[in-house]
Amino acid sequence: MKPYSKIACIGEVMIEIVGQQTGDARLNVAGDSYNTAVYLAQLARGTDCTVSYVTALGQDTFSQRAVADMGRFGIDTTHIERRADRNIGLYAIDTDDAGERSFTYWRSESAARTLFSTPCTVGLDVLGDFDLVYLSGITLAILPAPVRKALIDTLALYRQAGGTVAYDSNHRPRLWEDAQTAIDVNNAMWAVTDIAVPSVDDEMAIHGDTTEGAVLARLDAAGLTDGALKRGPAGPFDLSRSTSGLRFARAANVVDTTAAGDSFNAGYLFERARGSEQAVALQAGHDLASRVIGHKGAIIDI
């Protein structure tokens, strides 16, 4: 497996509001692909691997906080579009007694929705600077349809030039124009994906599959033979079928499942970036996710 030294994560970073038992709230910086970038950057400390985040932000105080947060974790910020007429998005998390979460969003006018839209200083050509590009279904869902198509077309050319694409179909139904668009865009994205890291729940929600077997059959038919299907406590399924007999222990303590999939993606992709074997990468992803869900909020220091 070839190593990757330059990784880009594309998407939206937001301000996260986390309620406290005292009735107060804590403000964090988070977002699905951003969470993955944070954990990748932490894992990459002391190595020759660099992690960049590609997004659009405003010039407001909270956007500045997001950039400072990236710097604290060692994420490269040179590929961030800044918009004078837009602000960063916002969301709040509610967590039940089992650690499952629900979200409330204020993001309809966020700067990230203008990523790669003209006029811009951060164009699609920047993707050629990287060995591995990671994005999610949320990344695609927030973009205007023409920009979304241009991004997927650019990723196809990027692969032809030797780049590697990793994709998680992380699904938020309300972000899509309609259910059929979500299906069509995800199918188009899978066609330009090298390493697939979807979750079984998201795939079922998008396509209406009723069993894990149906999800795997559809992914196989799409030619997705590298990556992992995330299955929560059951652990990941190896899409390459290159491993056998792997067992994954359940997390000892579940406080908040926020960023479970995002952190899995980071642990898994970092080991892949180092050239590790599939079994090592799967275990690393599962172990990191198990650790993260033992804490409240999306981001922890590791």
Side-chain angles (χ1 to χ4, degrees):
M1 299 182 183
K2 68 177 182 179
Y4 311 101
S5 61
K6 295 181 180 180
I7 302 175
C9 297
I10 310 173
E12 180 178 26
V13 59
M14 294 182 288
I15 296 298
E16 173 192 77
I17 305 171
V18 183
Q20 305 294 295
Q21 291 182 344
T22 60
D24 297 325
R26 186 177 74 247
L27 298 183
N28 300 321
V29 179
D32 75 321
S33 61
Y34 176 72
N35 302 337
T36 297
V38 166
Y39 289 116
L40 276 169
Q42 291 191 71
L43 292 168
R45 286 172 178 160
T47 75
D48 63 355
C49 181
T50 59
V51 179
S52 300
Y53 198 62
V54 181
T55 191
L57 290 170
Q59 296 178 355
D60 56 285
T61 300
F62 289 119
S63 290
Q64 295 290 84
R65 176 172 174 172
V67 173
D69 202 66
M70 294 182 208
R72 180 168 70 87
F73 287 112
I75 298 172
D76 173 60
T77 61
T78 58
H79 298 89
I80 298 178
E81 188 76 47
R82 302 302 293 267
R83 302 290 192 186
D85 59 343
R86 296 285 184 115
N87 296 324
I88 193 171
L90 176 73
Y91 74 100
I93 297 176
D94 288 314
T95 308
D96 65 20
D97 293 339
E100 289 300 324
R101 72 270 194 245
S102 59
F103 303 92
T104 303
Y105 293 98
W106 298 267
R107 74 198 305 180
S108 61
E109 295 298 320
S110 74
R113 290 178 176 269
T114 72
L115 180 61
F116 302 132
S117 292
T118 55
C120 59
T121 58
V122 178
L124 288 164
D125 58 315
V126 303
L127 302 186
D129 296 341
F130 303 100
D131 305 315
L132 174 66
V133 168
Y134 165 77
L135 67 159
S136 75
I138 293 176
T139 306
L140 294 174
I142 66 170
L143 297 175
V147 177
R148 187 188 291 157
K149 182 181 185 304
L151 173 56
I152 294 174
D153 290 346
T154 299
L155 289 171
L157 296 174
Y158 166 80
R159 293 176 77 212
Q160 292 175 13
T164 298
V165 176
Y167 180 64
D168 179 356
S169 55
N170 199 1
H171 187 53
R172 298 289 183 271
R174 292 181 183 179
L175 292 178
W176 293 98
E177 298 92 319
D178 51 66
Q180 189 59 51
T181 300
I183 292 171
D184 294 342
V185 172
N186 273 282
N187 286 341
M189 186 62 215
W190 285 135
V192 298
T193 295
D194 299 290
I195 302 175
V197 283
S199 73
V200 66
D201 291 344
D202 285 332
E203 286 296 299
M204 287 178 171
I206 296 167
H207 296 276
D209 301 320
T210 57
T211 66
E212 180 182 309
V215 172
L216 288 169
R218 182 171 43 74
L219 295 177
D220 285 344
L224 298 169
T225 58
D226 192 3
L229 179 66
K230 292 170 290 189
R231 304 179 299 168
F237 180 88
D238 177 11
L239 293 179
S240 74
R241 273 77 165 185
S242 63
T243 61
S244 62
L246 296 180
R247 297 290 183 270
F248 301 96
R250 287 175 173 262
N253 183 37
V254 180
V255 174
D256 182 355
T257 58
T258 303
D262 307 331
S263 55
F264 173 90
N265 294 346
Y268 176 79
L269 291 173
F270 178 68
E271 288 301 328
R272 293 295 305 271
R274 299 174 70 187
S276 298
E277 294 297 321
Q278 181 79 330
V280 173
L282 293 167
Q283 190 67 60
H286 184 76
D287 289 348
L288 181 55
S290 296
R291 181 177 174 185
V292 168
I293 64 177
H295 299 79
K296 209 163 180 54
I299 303 294
I300 65 170
D301 287 323
I302 61 171

